[in-house]
């Protein structure tokens, strides 16, 4: 062979090797673009007519696409049990529109381990919904939607309980899918390897297809050394995209959305770094950030102020998660929020500089999609709309401070003299006063009883101030046009605070 042929051969080999090392995808979202949607109706059609009498047969009957997509939980916070060798499985469709959870019930005295939990995405209503699948008399039964036992953990507006990127406690690969070989808990990888060796002979876990390949440590398709299946990454990103649609639907249900939608898009795009509010609002409200670095947590502040219940926007179990991280995903909370806003509201798309704003891959939202927002035009529109909108009824900071500073919450302060009136007063605070006076982290204003009592007793003017504000025509509580409290309700409220 001539020297020239040898050199050409070496070049071709090196090029082939380089191509193998090159990441196949820009990011997780690019991988998800290859997946097909899968609805709850398709899931039901798939299992209908099949002879299914128990948990093993049900899992075995699931579609192949679900058997390849799963997360393994070894420390469960649900009704179902889990441990290292009998993990709770979250099996899902590739884009997480249908999820079921199950575990090995053998040797455990937990009736919930005999059942399957089902959660699915309602595309029309932009909501997650839940059912329970039980077995008996040689068949299976699917419960009504959103049984109370499910809502006790997942909330009245149910959402998955799943931690934000990139740490998932109690889940195999909980530290960013073993990124760079890291373990969240010492010995996690060793326990996983032991489970992988035995799963193929297990009547239920044998349905976890490609288990060994998914958790093999190597260069993943996005070019990092980790578990190449990226199970937790892909689950988190696909779940987050659905959850952001749910959040935007809640934002749109707020009566003030039309006035604040341009500000909402501005806050979601981190490259828009000025202030999208008129001066009249920035002077009188505490949700306005002095720091110009905008993030999705600014939206949480805004919609808290507008009266929405943002406490369940995040899917996290952990209420102590820093606000800026509560909605984080592999491809970013801002990118997902910008996309979800424009997807749900066509009137916002004109502020995107490029054509075809909903083409995720073309516009590379996971890299710089929000940079394509025309920030100056959007800011002008936001200020124009808010300047002309009737906003005097909203809770201003000066109307919030007195009560907000009392305490984050109160369980019960019941007057010895007028117990029933005091109870009614508490109910009034919960249902009416809390529309303005709330904690950023919780809607529960009734927790720190001692602090509240101490503050009230030390401030001789407080009750007088509340009484004055209840009867005030210029700065009333509640603010107009909310229904004013009649004399009897005013007295109930004062009895509660006295």
């Amino acid at each position: 062979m001539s020297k020239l042929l040898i050199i050409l051969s070496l070049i071709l080999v090196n090029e082939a090797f380089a191509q193998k090392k090159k990441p196949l995808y820009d990011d997780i979202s690019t991988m998800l673009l290859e997946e097909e949607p899968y609805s709850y109706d398709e899931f039901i059609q798939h299992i209908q007519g099949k002879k299914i009498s128990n948990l093993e047969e049900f899992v075995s009957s699931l579609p192949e696409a679900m058997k390849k997509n799963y997360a393994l939980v070894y420390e469960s916070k649900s009704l179902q049990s889990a441990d290292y060798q009998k993990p709770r499985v979250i099996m899902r469709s590739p884009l997480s529109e249908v999820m079921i959870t199950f575990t090995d019930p053998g040797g455990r005295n937990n009736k919930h381990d005999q059942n399957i939990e089902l959660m699915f995405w309602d595309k029309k209503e932009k909501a997650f919904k839940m059912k329970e699948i039980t077995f008996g008399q040689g068949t299976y039964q699917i419960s009504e939607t959103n049984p109370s036992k499910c809502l006790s953990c997942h909330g009245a507006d149910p959402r998955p309980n799943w931690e934000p990127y990139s740490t998932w406690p109690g889940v195999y690969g909980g530290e960013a899918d073993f990124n760079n070989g890291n373990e969240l808990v010492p010995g996690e990888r060793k326990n996983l390897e032991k489970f992988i060796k035995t799963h193929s002979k297990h009547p239920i876990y044998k349905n976890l297809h490609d288990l060994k390949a998914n958790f093999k440590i190597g260069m993943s398709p996005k070019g990092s050394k980790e578990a190449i299946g990226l199970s937790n990454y892909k689950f988190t990103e696909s779940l987050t995209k659905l959850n952001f649609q749910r959040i935007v639907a809640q934002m749109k249900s707020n009566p003030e959305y039309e006035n604040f939608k341009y500000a909402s898009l501005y806050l979601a795009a981190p490259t828009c770094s000025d202030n999208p509010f008129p001066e009249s609002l920035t002077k009188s409200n505490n949700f306005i950030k002095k720091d110009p670095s905008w993030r999705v947590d600014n939206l949480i502040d805004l919609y808290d102020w507008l009266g929405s219940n943002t406490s369940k926007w995040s899917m996290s179990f952990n209420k102590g998660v820093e606000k800026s991280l509560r909605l984080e995903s592999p491809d970013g909370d801002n990118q997902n929020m910008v996309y979800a806003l424009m997807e749900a509201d066509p009137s916002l798309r004109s502020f995107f500089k490029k054509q075809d704003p909903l083409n995720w891959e073309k516009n590379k939202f996971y890299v710089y999609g929000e940079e394509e927002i025309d920030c100056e035009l959007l800011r002008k529109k936001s200020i124009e709309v808010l300047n002309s909108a009737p906003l005097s009824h909203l809770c201003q900071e000066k109307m919030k401070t007195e009560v907000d500073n009392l305490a984050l919450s109160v369980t019960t302060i019941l007057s010895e003299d007028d117990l029933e009136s005091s109870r009614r007063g508490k109910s009034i605070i919960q249902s009416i006063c809390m529309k303005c006076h709330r904690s950023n982290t919780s809607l529960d204003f009734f927790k720190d009883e001692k602090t509240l009592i101490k503050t009230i007793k030390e401030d001789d003017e407080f009750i007088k101030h509340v009484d004055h504000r209840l009867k005030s025509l210029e700065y009333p509580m509640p603010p107009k046009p909310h229904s004013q409290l009649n004399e009897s309700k005013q007295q109930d409220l004062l009895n509660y605070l006295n």
Side-chain angles (χ1 to χ4, degrees):
M1 183 181 289
S2 69
K3 288 185 179 180
L4 179 61
L5 285 175
I6 292 173
I7 292 171
L8 286 173
S9 298
L10 288 172
I11 291 173
L12 289 173
V13 168
N14 285 333
E15 284 182 349
F17 181 77
Q19 286 176 359
K20 285 184 181 179
K21 287 291 184 182
K22 182 181 178 181
L24 300 177
Y25 300 95
D26 287 309
D27 222 309
I28 303 297
S29 289
T30 340
M31 300 182 208
L32 297 179
L33 289 172
E34 295 185 351
E35 304 291 357
E36 293 293 327
Y38 186 74
S39 69
Y40 173 71
D41 289 340
E42 289 177 278
F43 174 76
I44 294 300
Q45 289 171 12
H46 178 85
I47 60 175
Q48 273 179 345
K50 289 184 168 59
K51 185 177 165 70
I52 298 173
S53 60
N54 56 45
L55 176 62
E56 294 174 22
E57 291 174 356
F58 193 98
V59 176
S60 179
S61 72
L62 293 171
E64 180 67 15
M66 291 187 72
K67 292 179 180 179
K68 290 181 177 180
N69 292 281
Y70 42 80
L72 303 180
V73 180
Y74 57 79
E75 186 177 318
S76 176
K77 294 185 176 119
S78 78
L79 296 174
Q80 294 173 333
S81 306
D83 59 47
Y84 283 117
Q85 298 313 309
K86 291 183 179 180
R88 178 174 180 251
V89 179
I90 304 174
M91 190 173 276
R92 62 184 180 86
S93 61
L95 296 176
S96 299
E97 308 102 317
V98 179
M99 296 166 278
I100 68 163
T101 69
F102 57 87
T103 189
D104 176 5
R108 288 169 169 161
N109 187 24
N110 182 352
K111 64 180 182 179
H112 300 290
D113 293 348
Q114 309 289 336
N115 306 332
I116 287 176
E117 293 180 6
L118 166 65
M119 177 174 274
F120 63 95
W121 174 248
D122 187 318
K123 186 177 180 180
K124 184 178 180 181
E125 295 186 20
K126 305 298 183 189
F128 291 104
K129 295 184 176 178
M130 302 197 69
K131 293 179 182 283
E132 185 178 42
I133 301 171
T134 55
F135 303 92
Q137 299 179 341
T139 186
Y140 65 91
Q141 299 80 38
I142 300 179
S143 75
E144 76 282 1
T145 301
N146 294 340
S148 58
K149 69 172 76 174
C150 297
L151 300 186
S152 63
C153 282
H154 293 271
D157 171 26
R159 82 278 189 271
N161 289 320
W162 187 252
E163 297 304 317
Y165 167 81
S166 61
T167 303
W168 303 283
V171 179
Y172 277 127
E175 182 63 43
D177 276 326
F178 296 115
N179 187 270
N180 290 319
N182 292 331
E183 293 181 314
L184 192 60
V185 176
E188 180 186 326
R189 184 77 207 184
K190 185 177 179 181
N191 279 295
L192 174 60
E193 297 292 352
K194 183 178 177 182
F195 173 70
I196 290 173
K197 287 179 182 178
T198 60
H199 88 282
S200 61
K201 297 179 181 178
H202 192 279
I204 300 175
Y205 295 132
K206 68 181 181 182
N207 295 290
L208 299 173
H209 292 185
D210 302 333
L211 181 62
K212 185 174 182 179
N214 276 338
F215 282 103
K216 181 181 179 182
I217 302 296
M219 294 302 290
S220 75
K222 67 181 181 64
S224 303
K225 186 179 179 182
E226 56 217 341
I228 60 177
L230 297 172
S231 300
N232 297 327
Y233 270 72
K234 289 191 284 189
F235 183 32
T236 304
E237 185 63 31
S238 59
L239 210 55
T240 299
K241 289 183 183 340
L242 298 178
N243 190 47
F244 269 91
Q245 292 182 52
R246 168 181 163 266
I247 291 170
V248 169
Q250 292 183 17
M251 290 165 61
K252 291 185 72 176
S253 70
N254 187 295
E256 299 301 326
Y257 171 78
E258 286 299 318
N259 292 327
F260 285 88
K261 64 182 182 180
Y262 304 106
S264 298
L265 180 60
Y266 194 99
L267 294 180
T271 50
C272 296
S273 57
D274 210 328
N275 194 323
F277 302 102
E279 189 176 352
S280 58
L281 281 180
T282 59
K283 283 184 175 180
S284 62
N285 291 276
N286 61 0
F287 73 89
I288 301 294
K289 290 287 188 290
K290 311 307 176 191
D291 180 357
S293 59
W294 305 101
R295 285 185 59 88
V296 165
D297 53 298
N298 294 75
L299 277 179
I300 297 175
D301 287 338
L302 172 60
Y303 280 85
D304 267 340
W305 179 73
L306 293 177
S308 290
N309 180 358
T310 68
S311 63
K312 300 296 184 184
W313 279 14
S314 170
M315 297 180 287
S316 174
F317 264 114
N318 184 3
K319 292 182 180 179
V321 172
E322 186 181 337
K323 192 184 298 181
S324 64
L325 302 177
R326 288 179 197 167
L327 300 169
E328 193 59 86
S329 73
D331 291 344
D333 50 359
N334 289 87
Q335 289 87 339
N336 279 301
M337 176 60 89
V338 167
Y339 188 87
L341 276 166
M342 290 200 299
E343 182 182 46
D345 192 337
S347 69
L348 297 176
R349 297 173 196 171
S350 61
F351 297 95
F352 197 80
K353 294 176 185 177
K354 291 186 178 180
Q355 292 183 343
D356 195 11
L358 297 185
N359 187 324
W360 187 285
E361 184 173 31
K362 176 184 174 184
N363 293 306
K364 293 190 176 181
F365 272 90
Y366 47 87
V367 178
Y368 61 83
E370 73 279 0
E371 292 184 6
E372 302 306 317
I373 299 293
D374 189 329
C375 294
E376 187 54 35
L377 185 64
L378 183 59
R379 179 175 179 270
K380 287 180 180 178
K381 181 66 174 178
S382 174
I383 292 174
E384 175 192 337
V385 170
L386 290 172
N387 267 330
S388 60
L391 303 177
S392 59
H393 63 285
L394 293 174
C395 311
Q396 304 297 307
E397 182 178 26
K398 61 187 176 186
M399 302 170 72
K400 289 164 57 72
T401 306
E402 296 89 354
V403 178
D404 283 353
N405 285 342
L406 292 183
L408 293 177
S409 316
V410 197
T411 4
T412 181
I413 307 172
L414 298 177
S415 164
E416 294 283 342
D417 300 327
D418 197 345
L419 206 60
E420 193 55 42
S421 173
S422 192
R423 286 196 182 101
R424 291 196 299 268
K426 176 181 176 180
S427 177
I428 289 168
I429 290 181
Q430 287 176 310
S431 61
I432 297 176
C433 303
M434 283 305 297
K435 288 179 179 177
C436 290
H437 304 291
R438 71 169 82 216
S439 157
N440 280 336
T441 57
S442 170
L443 287 179
D444 177 17
F445 189 66
F446 298 87
K447 188 176 179 182
D448 191 354
E449 176 182 355
K450 290 181 180 178
T451 301
L452 186 67
I453 292 174
K454 182 175 182 291
T455 307
I456 291 174
K457 285 183 176 179
E458 288 177 352
D459 185 355
D460 295 334
E461 297 299 313
F462 176 74
I463 299 297
K464 289 181 183 178
H465 177 76
V466 173
D467 188 25
H468 170 72
R469 290 291 298 281
L470 288 171
K471 296 168 182 172
S472 170
L473 296 178
E474 186 179 4
Y475 296 114
M477 288 196 306
K480 296 176 182 178
H482 301 310
S483 59
Q484 298 300 292
L485 300 181
N486 61 33
E487 208 170 301
S488 174
K489 289 182 178 179
Q490 289 180 19
Q491 191 57 52
D492 288 340
L493 193 150
L494 292 172
N495 283 342
Y496 173 72
L497 293 173
N498 268 313

